[in-house]
Amino acid sequence: MITTLQALWEFSLFLCALALVAVGGLLLARGVGGRRAGRREAMRRMLLPAMLRGDTVGIGGTRLSREVAAGLTVELAELVRGSDRDSLIAAARAAGAADQFVRRLRARAPQERLLAAEALALFPEHAEAVAKVALGDRNPDVRLGAALALAHEGRAPPVGELVRRLGIGTTEHSLLAVSLMRDLARTDPHAVEALLYDLELPDAVKLAATDALAESGAVDHALLVAWMSEAADEESELRPRIFRALGRIGHPAGHGAILAGLDSPDWRVRASAAEAAARSALKAAVPQLAVLLDDDEWWVRLRAGEALARLGSTGRLALHHAALGDAPVARSAAKATLAERSIA
């Protein structure tokens, strides 16, 4: 009995000692954390104005200073432009921010590698290291994020290789791929144009390239439209978006393809061709658009009505004739368009 009570007493003492050690550890950790937070805040107050001015500050190159400089670089890079941004990057480099980002590229957490690659893309001398991430990181999100950051800075790897390594159109279907293509078209439009003629690439890549080129206006539109007109004659998923791009460009070389698209057996093509006719102010399409007001598909009737309403007095006259005509479907579509546009 006495032995049992003594054992319980000793166990209680052990628990008390353990609790005291835990409380002591917590207090110590809090003290250390507080001092570290204080040093971090002091470092931040010193670095922030200096980096904004582009000044080089002697901070000793400690881990803490590199971490603070890296954090400030991410915070400030989006706030400044032009020469101020160049000065900021120079100051960040001198403070060790780039070295810190290089270390983080080896982190196990994908999110940390992604943030490091995006920030490191700001430093021209590390473009090759970020390109290796864009082309070879084991995580697809990290690869795409690094590629986007490089493309935004105009330092992307060769376009064809990048598209294949990212798996755009095959394993990568994110809408961010469209943003990537726009940045690539801005800095290297002819490399993006070459994607259109690569027979091994999937349609999704060519769709993104077509949209990006149409928006950029950075290549010869006559050649681009010639390719698009030829592709529009093929039976593929490309066709509706090609017609929309043709309308966006508005080049006369694409008018023949648009007129042919209005007679397509595919309702998606007819609808997109009607939209393209309106955007490219193709008044020659008015008779066909008037016929499409009686189309079996509601979307085609809608796009045809909108197109007629946008094609000036000739189009509006066609709408009024349809609204008074004998075909009930066309009459309803025309009246709906006129009422919606307040041009009855």
Side-chain angles (χ1 to χ4, degrees):
M1 185 63 180
I2 293 176
T3 303
T4 303
L5 289 175
Q6 185 176 0
L8 288 173
W9 172 250
E10 291 175 351
F11 184 68
S12 299
L13 288 177
F14 171 75
L15 291 179
C16 289
L18 188 63
L20 286 173
V21 170
V23 170
L26 289 174
L27 290 174
L28 179 62
R30 184 176 180 181
V32 171
R35 285 196 295 274
R36 182 176 175 80
R39 290 199 303 271
R40 178 182 290 273
E41 183 58 29
M43 183 69 71
R44 180 183 171 85
R45 285 199 297 270
M46 180 176 65
L47 272 177
L48 177 59
M51 290 179 64
L52 281 174
R53 292 193 303 268
D55 294 344
T56 301
V57 181
I59 53 177
T62 63
R63 179 179 178 182
L64 178 62
S65 65
R66 293 195 303 270
E67 289 179 352
V68 173
L72 285 172
T73 303
V74 174
E75 291 179 31
L76 301 176
E78 293 299 323
L79 303 179
V80 294
R81 293 288 184 271
S83 59
D84 290 340
R85 193 166 188 249
D86 295 337
S87 299
L88 170 67
I89 297 303
R93 184 185 297 112
D99 296 337
Q100 185 66 14
F101 292 133
V102 170
R103 287 182 175 84
R104 290 180 184 175
L105 282 182
R106 299 190 291 270
R108 297 183 62 182
Q111 183 65 18
E112 191 165 352
R113 294 200 305 277
L114 172 60
L115 294 175
E118 290 176 340
L120 199 60
L122 298 170
F123 299 84
E125 68 274 22
H126 292 288
E128 186 176 349
V130 183
K132 289 181 180 177
V133 175
L135 298 174
D137 193 275
R138 56 187 177 277
N139 185 290
D141 293 335
V142 177
R143 291 199 301 271
L144 181 58
L148 282 165
L150 280 176
H152 186 69
E153 298 297 325
R155 304 180 188 121
V159 174
E161 182 183 5
L162 185 63
V163 166
R164 285 183 169 81
R165 298 291 284 274
L166 291 176
I168 294 177
T170 53
T171 60
E172 178 58 65
H173 298 284
S174 169
L175 291 177
L176 290 175
V178 178
S179 299
L180 172 64
M181 199 65 73
R182 287 173 182 157
D183 280 337
L184 293 173
R186 178 172 51 82
T187 56
D188 194 355
H190 295 292
V192 174
E193 186 182 17
L195 299 176
L196 301 176
Y197 309 105
D198 191 331
L199 299 178
E200 296 181 356
L201 291 176
D203 285 352
V205 174
K206 297 179 181 179
L207 285 172
T210 301
D211 287 345
L213 291 170
E215 287 186 8
S216 72
V219 297
D220 186 345
H221 274 163
L223 295 176
L224 176 61
V225 170
W227 178 86
M228 294 164 71
S229 299
E230 182 179 346
D233 290 336
E234 301 172 359
E235 295 296 330
S236 75
E237 296 296 322
L238 279 167
R239 301 180 74 200
R241 287 182 63 175
I242 284 180
F243 280 108
R244 293 190 191 99
L246 283 172
R248 204 157 47 240
I249 295 174
H251 196 283
H255 288 176
I258 294 173
L259 291 173
L262 293 172
D263 292 329
S264 170
D266 187 335
W267 71 266
R268 296 170 303 174
V269 174
R270 295 197 301 276
S272 57
E275 184 180 349
R279 299 192 69 166
S280 58
L282 184 52
K283 293 185 179 181
V286 167
Q288 289 172 269
L289 291 169
V291 172
L292 291 181
L293 288 173
D294 199 32
D295 198 277
D296 292 337
E297 292 290 337
W298 178 84
W299 270 110
V300 177
R301 298 196 297 272
L302 174 67
R303 296 303 183 203
E306 290 176 340
L308 288 170
R310 292 178 59 180
L311 287 175
S313 58
T314 307
R316 291 194 292 273
L317 182 61
L319 278 172
H320 283 292
H321 284 162
L324 298 174
D326 297 329
V329 174
R331 185 169 62 241
S332 176
K335 286 183 176 179
T337 303
L338 292 169
E340 183 181 350
R341 300 282 177 150
S342 301
I343 52 179

